[in-house]
């Protein structure tokens, strides 16, 4: 969120699992950005390696969890992690 904004983090128990929700009201992501989000070495940051979210995905998967992303350009982004 280059111009500031709000990040909300919540945790809920659900059917014996934990649901962690990260929501912001930032710039959001375009459809093509969403498709490449978990692809290694794909970064939209100047000095980024493109490994952060792929590593997060692998860690969550190794714990039999899931991660989903919902986003719209100009409307913000939400990451939902279920463990």
């Amino acid at each position: 969120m280059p111009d500031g904004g709000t990040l909300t983090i919540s945790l809920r128990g659900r059917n014996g699992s934990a649901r962690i929700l990260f929501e912001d009201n930032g710039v959001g992501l375009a459809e093509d950005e969403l498709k490449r989000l978990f692809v290694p070495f794909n970064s939209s940051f100047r000095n980024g390696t493109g490994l952060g979210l792929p590593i997060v995905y692998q860690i969550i998967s190794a714990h039999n969890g899931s991660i989903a992303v919902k986003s719209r350009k100009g409307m913000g982004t939400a990451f939902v992690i279920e463990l």
Side-chain angles (χ1 to χ4, degrees):
M1 297 180 289
D3 298 322
T6 302
L7 172 64
T8 304
I9 304 169
S10 59
L11 171 65
R12 295 186 187 110
R14 183 175 178 207
N15 299 328
S17 65
R19 182 178 188 181
I20 308 162
L21 179 61
F22 297 85
E23 294 179 283
D24 72 38
N25 61 352
V27 297
L29 300 166
E31 186 78 23
D32 61 318
E33 293 173 302
L34 282 172
K35 290 178 184 176
R36 298 186 317 261
L37 204 55
F38 297 107
V39 176
F41 306 108
N42 173 57
S43 178
S44 59
F45 296 105
R46 184 171 172 242
N47 293 320
T49 63
L51 292 174
L53 285 174
I55 290 171
V56 167
Y57 181 87
Q58 290 296 323
I59 291 170
I60 292 169
S61 295
H63 288 86
N64 297 315
S66 65
I67 183 169
V69 184
K70 297 177 186 175
S71 186
R72 287 184 55 199
K73 198 71 170 171
M75 301 294 292
T77 302
F79 283 82
V80 181
I81 300 171
E82 299 234 14
L83 296 170

